Amino acid sequence: MIPNKNYNNLKDSYLFFGIAQKTKKYLAEHPDKKLLRLGIGDVSLPLAPAVIRALHEAVDDQATKENFHGYMPECGAPFLRETIAKYYNGRGVELVSDEVFVSSGASDELGDILDLFGRDKTVMILEPAYPAYVDANIIGGNRIIRLAAGQENGFLPLPSEIPQEEDMYPDLIYICSPNNPTGATFDYAGLKEWVDYANAVGAVILFDAAYEAFIEEDIPHSIFEVEDAKKCAIEICSLSKTAGFTGTRLGYTVIPKALERGGMNFNAMWVRNRTTKTNGVSYIIQKGGAAVFSDEGQKQIHENINVYKRNAKCIMSVLDELGIWYTGGKNAPYVWMKCPNNMGSWEFFDLLLNEIQVVGTPGEGFGKCGEGYFRFSTFGSIEDTEEAARRLKELLGDKNEKL
Ligand code: PLP
């Protein structure tokens, strides 16, 4: 028996491994130092009180014969599917509840969803990118083509930039907006170009909207705000960053009924897939998730998001003062900066670690075109972020001999 040989093509996640190794070594050599961690992609604030109350109530339901829930519907509890559909309706997107599928998080879905397309597909990944897109497709045996983004297009590449070569036609296109790692966010016009392109070449867009709740400008939160997107897109979303569910686990995926290719309907196929491959998400967690969309829940999650936004402003104002180029921060919990003096991203990582004990994420780990850039996450504590920003300003300010 020969196992899936594609696993041999995976590269070790040397990004997070490399960061862990370097910080561990530094702390072993400098036990008196405290690191300010602005590299993490995990949240630091607790769940909203409205969510906690709903979780407690759901636990109590499980204690009584009348209210007990066993297996949940595979595609999600009707109460949550309806709640999420209404959330979209509130933004002017017409959806019905059975176009919404409840999941246990975006990562799970990003891997599982490839079941819809079969093997040997050509997948376009806009880089720098969240590493799971690449790895899930390597495991699945798909061919990956990369569209590199850069400073010249604000890290928002458009289909007109795809090289006119025969082997550059994708079956699938990953778009993450607001983006991890760059924080760059497509406006309506940019997304419309992608939608038109996908419909023209018959591709499907996998739209990762994990950070939609961070958008503050007048730009789409969902690809379905764009005309004709229902004919070419699947949207994958998560409550992880929106509402602090990284450890609680809940997400949702929208597959419009209008989405078809080759005479096959993706919504119907996903129903078939879910009824085969899951027994649903926990009743308790779905109750907690529904509370996120209540008026009280929305108010409370945005209070937390505003704390992260304050962190972003703190970093952005130092970069503004220093005249350093960056993107993100405004509609996303990540600030993506150009390393000063043309430093490499690992070189800059070492500098920050050794000189000011600040840990960020080297851009190169998100794809080759991330070399020379650096990501700060805004999910840390206010105190650590303020102190890190102060040290950054001191280090990168004028006439610093260390640079
Ligand atoms: N998509 C993006 C762009 C992310 O950054 C993350 C997590 O960091 C995920 C998906 C995964 O989210 P989840 O916690 O729902 O699996």
Side-chain angles (χ1 to χ4, degrees), residues 41 104-108 110 130 133 176 178-180 208 210-211 237-241 245-246 249-251 334:
S104 29
S107 286
D108 312 40
L110 284 163
Y130 182 56
Y133 305 158
C176 177
N179 187 273
N180 179 11
D208 185 337
Y211 298 100
C237 209
S238 162
L239 294 189
S240 283
K241 309 301 162 68
F245 271 60
T246 50
R249 310 303 304 145
L250 195 70
Y334 300 111

Side-chain angles (χ1 to χ4, degrees), residues 33-66:
K33 299 277 192 198
K34 177 184 176 257
L35 297 182
L36 302 174
R37 294 181 190 271
L38 272 63
I40 53 160
D42 200 353
V43 293
S44 56
L45 293 171
L47 294 173
V51 172
I52 294 293
R53 197 173 62 235
L55 290 171
H56 278 295
E57 284 167 8
V59 170
D60 287 341
D61 284 347
Q62 295 297 69
T64 66
K65 207 169 171 193
E66 304 73 51

Side-chain angles (χ1 to χ4, degrees), residues 98-112:
D98 44 8
E99 293 180 303
V100 177
F101 295 83
V102 176
S103 75
S104 29
S107 286
D108 312 40
E109 290 289 271
L110 284 163
D112 291 354

